[in-house]
Amino acid sequence: MTSVLILPGWQGSGPDHWQMHWVREHGYTEVVQNDWLRPKRGDWLARLDEVVIDAPGQVVFVAHSLGCILVAAWAALSAHSQRVQGALLVAPGDTEAPELKERLPGWSPIVRQRLPFASILVGSQNDPFCRSDRAQALAHDWGAQWVDAGQTGHINADTSLGHWPQGHALLQKLMKE
């Protein structure tokens, strides 16, 4: 059995976000954080560890934005990373960029060590929260396969992706590996 854990980013994912479509349609589990507006790194790390410990079977992460940064930080610290089969990392937020660093204190520097599980990082050429070259550098550092999503903004509800079947196909590919 594999548990798919949905990891929204800063401010959470609203009902029209592809992550929430996947929760409703496929029964995946959203990891609900205590404070979506003022995320504390330690709190988010502890919550993710709790959910991974309680999840049945192997775990696959589906992270968006700050959720991607969370996965990297968690993997570097947790004693439970062997439970993770893989991670689909979508539109990481660059918490080292000045505009996000101020708004999200405690989330930089970004952990850059190689992830101990298979991963795919999907980035956009026009993401306002992470330049494409920065996303590619994160993919390289984390050992993730890079997928260029073209001109899709922050790959969220604002970009009208709906259920984002292309992303779900990537998740299915990751789960078969």
Side-chain angles (χ1 to χ4, degrees):
M1 174 177 212
T2 302
S3 298
V4 177
L5 301 180
I6 302 290
L7 308 174
W10 177 39
Q11 301 178 6
S13 293
D16 295 329
H17 195 289
W18 57 267
Q19 284 186 312
M20 295 304 101
H21 284 293
W22 293 8
V23 167
R24 291 187 300 270
E25 293 169 15
H26 304 288
Y28 301 154
T29 301
E30 177 189 11
V31 176
V32 178
Q33 294 290 352
N34 181 46
D35 191 339
W36 291 114
L37 300 180
R38 289 173 301 285
K40 290 185 172 46
R41 188 173 178 156
D43 292 350
W44 280 38
L45 287 166
R47 176 68 180 134
L48 181 54
D49 219 38
E50 289 171 356
V51 174
V52 169
I53 290 167
D54 291 343
Q58 288 289 104
V59 170
V60 173
F61 295 138
V62 177
H64 181 259
S65 194
L66 188 60
C68 300
I69 308 307
L70 171 65
V71 167
W74 178 87
L77 297 172
S78 179
H80 305 287
S81 62
Q82 77 281 359
R83 300 259 336 266
V84 180
Q85 177 182 336
L88 178 62
L89 308 166
V90 182
D94 185 358
T95 57
E96 293 174 347
E99 59 276 6
L100 283 184
K101 190 174 185 175
E102 282 182 23
R103 298 169 95 180
L104 297 169
W107 287 92
S108 67
I110 295 171
V111 173
R112 298 290 189 120
Q113 77 184 50
R114 186 175 187 85
L115 296 174
F117 39 79
S119 57
I120 298 171
L121 192 151
V122 182
S124 168
Q125 296 172 11
N126 63 338
D127 188 335
F129 299 107
C130 187
R131 294 186 335 259
S132 181
D133 63 320
R134 290 281 292 167
Q136 288 178 57
L138 289 173
H140 177 267
D141 292 346
W142 293 338
Q145 175 190 341
W146 165 253
V147 175
D148 185 334
Q151 301 281 322
T152 50
H154 195 47
I155 313 176
N156 58 9
D158 294 340
T159 53
S160 302
L161 293 172
H163 302 245
W164 195 37
Q166 302 89 341
H168 201 259
L170 290 171
L171 174 62
Q172 295 303 309
K173 175 186 173 206
L174 185 64
M175 291 174 68
K176 288 178 184 169
E177 292 178 356

